[in-house]
Amino acid sequence: MEGIDLVPEFIESARARFPDVPFRVGSFRDMDFPDKALHGVLSWYSLIHIPPDEVPMALEEFARVLAPRGQLLLGFFDGPPGTPFQHAVTTAYYWSTEHMGHLLAEAGFRVLEIDMRQDPGKRPHAAITATVR
């Protein structure tokens, strides 16, 4: 298990909270792992901050590093695909489960499960579990 993030402050926080897990600054746009090296990838609200035209490339990178039958758990805000909104740190983008499912299929994934929730007064949330085909 290893965690990566672009933001050094997030890495410092993660190391403090989970001292037994290695963390490093890195990018899911170009993950420094061999092909088919990982059994799982957790991308929990990680893709919401990248421009919509770059999401397919990130999904392809996830598929590249996942072993056969490896799984991806992807969390995001549910809404009109690619619609920007102001988020705590920088601009973020909504994705519909239907559109994200289509992008996942194009990147070589098969959707296993979709979870959605709407908390009162909050943005709608969605999560997709997918496996490499």
Side-chain angles (χ1 to χ4, degrees):
M1 180 180 348
E2 181 177 2
I4 63 172
D5 198 287
L6 280 174
V7 182
E9 293 83 2
F10 290 176
I11 294 297
E12 289 175 25
S13 175
R15 285 178 179 152
R17 292 182 65 204
F18 305 99
D20 295 333
V21 177
F23 291 95
R24 65 180 167 87
V25 174
S27 172
F28 48 76
R29 290 180 174 110
D30 183 20
M31 297 174 75
D32 189 19
F33 296 105
D35 293 356
K36 301 179 183 350
L38 306 177
H39 295 285
V41 170
L42 173 63
S43 177
W44 202 245
Y45 294 84
S46 302
L47 298 183
I48 66 168
H49 294 293
I50 67 172
D53 63 335
E54 293 181 27
V55 170
M57 180 195 63
L59 296 175
E60 289 170 6
E61 183 68 356
F62 292 159
R64 180 190 69 78
V65 299
L66 281 167
R69 294 186 305 274
Q71 292 191 5
L72 167 67
L73 176 54
L74 182 65
F76 54 95
F77 293 109
D78 186 51
T83 302
F85 64 92
Q86 264 319 109
H87 194 247
V89 179
T90 187
T91 301
Y93 300 89
Y94 287 106
W95 292 99
S96 69
T97 55
E98 180 180 329
H99 191 77
M100 187 57 76
H102 174 74
L103 293 176
L104 286 163
E106 286 184 344
F109 287 93
R110 180 173 57 88
V111 172
L112 300 174
E113 186 176 342
I114 297 173
D115 292 304
M116 301 171 71
R117 78 172 197 274
Q118 173 67 58
D119 298 328
K122 304 285 184 179
R123 293 181 183 96
H125 297 274
I128 296 179
T129 304
T131 188
V132 177
R133 283 189 260 140

